[in-house]
Amino acid sequence: QITLTESGPTLVNPTQTLTLTCTFSGFSLSTSGVGVGWIRQPPGKALEWLALIYWDDDNRYSPSLKNRLTITKDTSKNQVVLTMTNVDPVDTATYYCAHTQGRVRGVPNWFDPWGQGTLVTVSS
Amino acid sequence: DIQMTQSPSSLSASVGDRVTITCRASQSINNYLNWYQQKSGKAPKLLMYGASSLQSGVPSRFSGSGSGTDFTLTINSLQPEDSASYYCQQSYSIPIAFGQGTKVEI
């Protein structure tokens, strides 16, 4: 059974750096084809894809946020970390990580399953 | 970048109704289209992949169709537990894009 759990601060001051950790079980990020993605959802709004990382360290980022995001993996700890610099109140959202298996032209097939999400509020 | 547009943004239906949600891509994505269900306060759950393949464990009243730019998600015989928001997502190219969602109320 695959499970993912997001963790990180619930409140962040504007201009600070946000660090989120996705801890997973039931799969390994050293297995061919496996990846983990991050997706966020502002309150009452739609889903927005942020970044993903594959077993072979191939990273992909949303172009609109690429300059502010870094995604890394620690295979030994079964963790994926997303950092977002210079946060703003518009970054207030529930942040999800999700498992993916397989890719075509660098694009993941789909995301399944997802973690339960963690709500991050950006405010002074 | 590919944009995904869903319609309607919300709908209200009764138990037993047939409901159809439409998703349109700004350019052809072949059948690289996935559907997710999100219940209030919960994480999204994969419903359909490859436009028309039902994810394991998903009731057969859900079905998907389409190819190219136009796709539909159909719920036959709507049930109370289908009250949720539904999102389409293209897996054709980076950046990955989701539709704006359709809220189904029963």
Side-chain angles (χ1 to χ4, degrees):
Chain A
Q1 179 190 4
I2 292 175
T3 64
L4 305 99
T5 304
E6 305 87 350
S7 59
T10 58
L11 181 64
V12 184
N13 288 320
T15 75
Q16 286 190 331
T17 294
L18 169 64
T19 300
L20 295 170
T21 301
C22 176
T23 304
F24 55 85
S25 64
F27 67 94
S28 172
L29 251 180
S30 60
T31 300
S32 179
V34 173
V36 171
W38 284 94
I39 303 101
R40 71 179 178 180
Q41 185 174 38
K45 296 188 177 181
L47 301 164
E48 178 186 17
W49 170 70
L50 302 177
L52 60 91
I53 188 166
Y54 292 105
W55 84 102
D56 58 358
D57 286 320
D58 181 16
N59 299 339
R60 306 293 173 124
Y61 295 98
S62 168
S64 63
L65 292 166
K66 183 174 184 177
N67 291 339
R68 299 173 52 210
L69 297 176
T70 302
I71 190 169
T72 60
K73 64 181 176 68
D74 187 328
T75 304
S76 65
K77 292 183 178 179
N78 281 351
Q79 290 181 334
V80 170
V81 175
L82 181 74
T83 60
M84 176 183 291
T85 61
N86 192 28
V87 297
D88 182 89
V90 300
D91 297 313
T92 294
T94 295
Y95 287 77
Y96 297 98
C97 61
H99 165 269
T100 184
Q101 173 74 45
R103 66 186 178 189
V104 177
R105 297 184 306 277
V107 188
N109 290 332
W110 50 79
F111 293 111
D112 178 64
W114 298 48
Q116 85 281 3
T118 185
L119 176 61
V120 178
T121 301
V122 180
S123 175
S124 55
Chain B
D1 297 358
I2 297 173
Q3 278 76 50
M4 307 300 293
T5 304
Q6 284 181 237
S7 62
S9 56
S10 65
L11 65 90
S12 181
S14 300
V15 173
D17 284 353
R18 181 183 186 186
V19 166
T20 299
I21 299 169
T22 298
C23 177
R24 175 166 288 176
S26 59
Q27 65 186 73
S28 178
I29 58 171
N30 293 339
N31 67 336
Y32 292 96
L33 191 283
N34 307 313
W35 289 98
Y36 298 86
Q37 177 193 62
Q38 185 180 32
K39 295 186 178 181
S40 181
K42 301 295 185 182
K45 168 189 168 184
L46 179 68
L47 280 182
M48 312 282 308
Y49 59 91
S52 60
S53 296
L54 196 66
Q55 172 67 345
S56 175
V58 174
S60 58
R61 63 180 179 272
F62 290 90
S63 64
S65 65
S67 183
T69 60
D70 295 320
F71 303 87
T72 59
L73 173 70
T74 300
I75 311 173
N76 285 300
S77 188
L78 195 67
Q79 298 300 303
E81 60 265 31
D82 301 333
S83 179
S85 291
Y86 294 84
Y87 293 90
C88 61
Q89 174 240 322
Q90 66 86 7
S91 56
Y92 182 80
S93 67
I94 296 291
I96 296 160
F98 291 88
Q100 80 276 19
T102 296
K103 186 172 184 178
V104 174
E105 295 181 329
I106 302 172

